[in-house]
Amino acid sequence: MEPIRMKYEVRSDDFSVAGEASGKIKRTLKDLGLDASVVRNVAIAVYEGEINMVIHANGGYIEVEINPDKIKIVLKDSGPGIPDVEKAMQAGFSTAPENIRALGFGAGMGLPNIKKYSDEMYIDTELGVGTTITLGFNI
Amino acid sequence: MDKNIFHSVRMDEDKCLGCMNCIKHCPTEAIRVRDGKANIIKEKCIDCGKCIEVCPHHAKYAERERLQKIIDFKYTVALPAPSLYGQFKNLEDANYVLAGLIKMGFDSVFEVSCAAEIVSQITREKIKNNKTGKPIISSACPAVCRLISVSYPSLLPQLLDMNAPMEIAAAMARREAIEKTGLKSEDIGIFFITPCPAKVTAIKNPMTLREPIIDGAVAISDIYPVLVQQMSRLAKDGKEIEDLQRSGKIGVSWAASGGESAALFHDNYLAADGIENVKEILSEIENEQLNGLDFIELNACTCGCVGGALTAENPFIAKRRLQILRKYLPVSGEHYTKEQEEADKDFLYWQKQPEANNIMRLADNLKDAMRIMGEINELEAKLPQLDCGTCGAPSCKSLAEDIVRGFADIHDCMFCTRNEYAQSQEPGASLLREILPAPFRTRKENKNADSKKSD
Ligand SMILES: Nc1ncnc2c1ncn2[C@@H]1O[C@H](COP(=O)(O)OP(=O)(O)O)[C@@H](O)[C@H]1O
Ligand code: SF4
Ligand SMILES: [Mg+2]
């Protein structure tokens, strides 16, 4: 069966559109009639990934591949990279600047939540080059 | 899915000109224009009344009862929605409204705001005992409840599991009337004075009651002129007005957005109104971004029920008037005891679970749904992404879905038809290439047209 593929650009210059890509992906999964818990897990993980791209990495893009048994999501940016992945994964760890925190972001729960809600998570990051997070969700 | 499901929002074909105003505003994309007329897709419609509000030709209307229907009953009770109190200029005493309703022909009144106060009291308890880590969502606006069942079914378990104040008031009013008159239940007519079509639908098709318990809905806007007349007569009489009002500030405040939340006596809540805002908040709840909150109040209409499509006054004015009216009221009516709650359990709480409506799903199983979505995506890529509405669908994506489902044709998109003829040598094809409404002409095409004119 041909997988369903989608690609969304995430822009970093406009906060008002942050969350748009994850919203569209959520709508697609609902249209497919997927289980509410799967929809929720994907929606939360992708939302957090999308926000991270906006606040830490100057945007990027999200690729979605839906198969009958699995959803694969790739979040790719050409941002600064993550110097210490283990530290970044800790609940509450954040390097978000004060102005971003004032907007209600930067609680340091994004990466831990992505881990919690996905079935597989791989982080490939290189300083000065960018970060690619690959997620797998079982259906 | 029941195809014959009742809807209060209707179309008057004679008035519909087939303009595209409604299709763009419908929050569930339930309207298509075909053969010059708007069509409402019944399974998707949530009766919010948005199309009634935006239709410039008044072709959308809400089916409701006429006041004359009260003569079918030996004894009638009016259930005024709290929003009714906000409709009158210089009103300082809601007793004039209640006495006015009786002058109009009702035998008695039972304020929905009384039931609202009971719901507030119990909600406070429920919030204290809520251990789910997720906010409770108000279940008072039926348009919101229906929106959740159509587009956000995973949130159904978060709904406050109580019947709406209107329904609770109806059960109490009926019991009171039977006790007072000794009549049989079927001789007693209970009529809701409604601000909106969503409540009309909820009366006929209750989501969480075993069967309907209200005999009809009369629109605020329909009775408004007569009621005003009766009220001013009462005022002119100068006689002391009967004290019929039992509810206080809390119940009356439910008329406007934020009122239900304010009655919780703490501030860890969010209140949103207007259907587009409601959609955004529901999506945020789904993404678990609002888990820190205790309670979420959602009203489909701007400002809450004072903004309902069947009210008479501007919502902001009505809201302001309520502030004045409330000043003279006690905080709330009588305290509702644990014993009363126990005795009323049957109609306070859901008698049946609200059902998810899976109309938005493409198919019952994933493989079929994926196949259909593949076709939709392929088609959508061929469409111009203008979302112009001239095909009668609200967006290119929805046209693609309609085509795949067999309800529309690719030639309904004038751009696709035009492109097909772009290379054609058939007679008339060149004409087709030139005909295009102004917003869609490219600069080059404009120039061509201009040079032709000057030829
Ligand atoms: N795409 C990314 N590019 C660069 N750094 C990132 C990226 N995503 C996360 N980080 C780093 O990891 C930290 C933790 O991320 P997260 O758990 O989402 O918390 P928060 O976004 O609230 O800071 C961030 O503060 C940031 O330093
Ligand atoms: S907000 Fe009030 S008036 Fe508007 S649809 Fe909901 S219940 Fe009806
Ligand atoms: Mg984050």
Side-chain angles (χ1 to χ4, degrees):
Chain A
M1 169 132 228
E2 257 312 283
I4 306 261
R5 289 199 176 85
M6 295 171 303
K7 186 171 174 172
Y8 299 97
E9 196 195 331
V10 177
R11 286 170 40 195
S12 66
D13 51 349
D14 184 357
F15 250 111
S16 70
V17 298
E20 203 174 88
S22 48
K24 284 184 179 156
I25 294 166
K26 181 159 86 173
R27 160 95 195 258
T28 302
L29 301 184
K30 282 186 182 185
D31 287 350
L32 285 172
L34 286 171
D35 204 57
S37 63
V38 176
V39 177
R40 185 204 53 195
N41 293 350
V42 176
I44 295 174
V46 178
Y47 175 84
E48 294 288 3
E50 185 178 1
I51 298 293
N52 278 356
M53 274 187 198
V54 176
I55 62 180
H56 304 298
N58 302 317
Y61 60 86
I62 304 176
E63 280 177 324
V64 183
E65 183 189 295
I66 306 167
N67 293 286
D69 57 342
K70 193 170 188 149
I71 298 170
K72 188 178 150 192
I73 309 247
V74 179
L75 303 137
K76 194 173 173 67
D77 67 59
S78 319
I82 306 174
D84 185 342
V85 172
E86 211 175 303
K87 213 170 178 185
M89 289 297 295
Q90 282 168 12
F93 176 84
S94 174
T95 59
E98 200 42 55
N99 63 331
I100 296 288
R101 285 171 199 253
L103 290 167
F105 299 102
M109 288 310 293
L111 291 175
N113 271 336
I114 297 176
K115 173 108 196 126
K116 178 175 160 196
Y117 287 102
S118 60
D119 295 305
E120 289 165 63
M121 175 182 188
Y122 306 100
I123 303 183
D124 185 8
T125 184
E126 198 181 328
L127 289 184
V129 177
T131 302
T132 301
I133 301 180
T134 307
L135 304 175
F137 299 84
N138 301 331
I139 296 179
Chain B
M1 224 8 267
D2 184 3
K3 291 245 181 226
N4 299 317
I5 185 165
F6 174 89
H7 280 291
S8 58
V9 174
R10 308 278 171 94
M11 259 285 303
D12 183 341
E13 290 229 332
D14 294 337
K15 288 188 183 158
C16 179
L17 299 187
C19 73
M20 308 297 165
N21 284 296
C22 58
I23 58 173
K24 288 275 180 190
H25 285 94
C26 175
T28 57
E29 300 195 326
I31 313 179
R32 302 290 184 274
V33 179
R34 286 273 172 280
D35 304 321
K37 303 289 168 195
N39 289 276
I40 304 173
I41 302 167
K42 284 195 159 193
E43 292 84 350
K44 291 188 179 180
C45 171
I46 57 169
D47 288 299
C48 65
K50 191 76 195 171
C51 56
I52 298 181
E53 189 188 313
V54 300
C55 177
H57 313 292
H58 307 292
K60 306 284 196 315
Y61 67 97
E63 180 72 16
R64 67 254 194 182
E65 248 73 63
R66 302 291 145 188
L67 190 59
Q68 290 85 305
K69 202 188 165 199
I70 67 175
I71 58 174
D72 295 350
F73 297 87
K74 291 196 179 129
Y75 188 87
T76 52
V77 188
L79 307 180
S83 45
L84 179 64
Y85 304 144
Q87 308 296 311
F88 311 95
K89 229 179 184 163
N90 303 324
L91 180 70
E92 290 185 3
D93 183 354
N95 280 310
Y96 281 95
V97 181
L98 304 174
L101 286 168
I102 290 177
K103 280 249 174 237
M104 281 178 64
F106 289 100
D107 295 298
S108 75
V109 290
F110 192 106
E111 299 173 80
V112 171
S113 42
C114 287
E117 291 183 344
I118 294 172
V119 174
S120 290
Q121 193 183 314
I122 298 176
T123 308
R124 290 198 286 271
E125 283 293 309
K126 287 201 175 267
I127 286 175
K128 251 190 254 154
N129 301 326
N130 176 17
K131 301 279 181 278
T132 63
K134 294 176 181 179
I136 294 174
I137 304 171
S138 161
S139 57
C141 171
V144 170
C145 292
R146 261 160 231 273
L147 179 64
I148 291 175
S149 86
V150 171
S151 300
Y152 308 86
S154 68
L155 299 182
L156 286 171
Q158 277 174 259
L159 276 176
L160 175 68
D161 60 350
M162 296 187 75
N163 293 317
M166 162 185 84
E167 293 160 336
I168 293 170
M172 295 183 135
R174 188 175 297 277
R175 181 173 63 195
E176 242 181 52
I178 291 173
E179 276 166 16
K180 187 168 157 192
T181 63
L183 289 169
K184 281 194 270 182
S185 179
E186 58 263 36
D187 292 328
I188 293 163
I190 309 279
F191 289 85
F192 180 61
I193 315 296
T194 186
C196 66
K199 290 282 189 195
V200 180
T201 302
I203 286 172
K204 293 253 189 312
N205 257 329
M207 259 177 101
T208 59
L209 292 173
R210 285 183 293 268
E211 54 191 29
I213 57 171
I214 300 171
D215 297 290
V218 183
I220 289 180
S221 52
D222 288 343
I223 62 162
Y224 184 71
V226 193
L227 183 54
V228 169
Q229 218 173 39
Q230 296 294 356
M231 285 166 63
S232 55
R233 260 188 221 152
L234 284 165
K236 273 203 205 100
D237 275 358
K239 276 198 223 126
E240 202 184 323
I241 191 93
E242 197 184 343
D243 191 11
L244 295 164
Q245 189 173 23
R246 291 188 271 179
S247 68
K249 282 190 182 33
I250 289 181
V252 172
S253 301
W254 273 62
S257 176
E260 181 183 2
S261 303
L264 302 175
F265 302 150
H266 74 59
D267 57 10
N268 194 25
Y269 67 80
L270 177 157
D273 54 272
I275 195 80
E276 289 304 322
N277 291 327
V278 166
K279 279 169 70 175
E280 278 185 30
I281 298 299
L282 288 171
S283 184
E284 293 277 319
I285 305 174
E286 269 187 337
N287 289 358
E288 304 200 352
Q289 298 301 312
L290 299 173
N291 278 356
L293 296 172
D294 286 329
F295 187 77
I296 297 184
E297 173 186 343
L298 299 172
N299 288 287
C301 299
T302 308
C303 292
C305 296
V306 286
L310 301 178
T311 56
E313 188 52 274
N314 171 285
F316 292 89
I317 295 175
K319 198 171 164 181
R320 167 69 202 143
R321 286 188 184 151
L322 285 169
Q323 283 167 355
I324 300 170
L325 183 69
R326 265 196 321 233
K327 261 212 306 241
Y328 304 95
L329 292 177
V331 174
S332 78
E334 274 172 49
H335 183 76
Y336 189 65
T337 65
K338 275 271 164 232
E339 293 72 55
Q340 283 174 301
E341 184 185 334
E342 189 55 32
D344 297 346
K345 249 184 358 203
D346 181 52
F347 59 76
L348 289 176
Y349 298 101
W350 288 350
Q351 295 172 348
K352 65 173 194 203
Q353 295 293 315
E355 277 170 38
N357 165 342
N358 291 322
I359 179 71
M360 298 301 183
R361 285 189 179 181
L362 294 174
D364 291 337
N365 67 75
L366 183 57
K367 285 204 172 143
D368 285 343
M370 281 179 63
R371 185 179 44 73
I372 296 171
M373 182 166 288
E375 289 174 37
I376 293 174
N377 289 350
E378 208 173 295
L379 258 170
E380 197 191 347
K382 290 186 195 148
L383 299 172
Q385 307 307 319
L386 289 167
D387 293 342
C388 69
T390 54
C391 60
S395 63
C396 297
K397 186 178 168 60
S398 56
L399 178 69
E401 188 177 329
D402 288 351
I403 295 171
V404 172
R405 288 188 188 238
F407 301 131
D409 187 278
I410 184 99
H411 295 103
D412 292 341
C413 171
M414 65 172 171
F415 299 95
C416 290
T417 307
R418 192 168 171 271
N419 287 345
E420 222 171 84
Y421 281 90
Q423 315 302 330
S424 166
Q425 300 304 314
E426 273 177 57
S430 66
L431 188 64
L432 190 63
R433 282 194 285 274
E434 271 161 41
I435 299 173
L436 208 51
F440 309 122
R441 280 177 220 150
T442 60
R443 296 238 160 79
K444 205 175 91 217
E445 280 162 334
N446 274 333
K447 236 182 247 151
N448 286 347
D450 286 348
S451 61
K452 285 241 172 69
K453 250 182 255 160
S454 54
D455 280 352

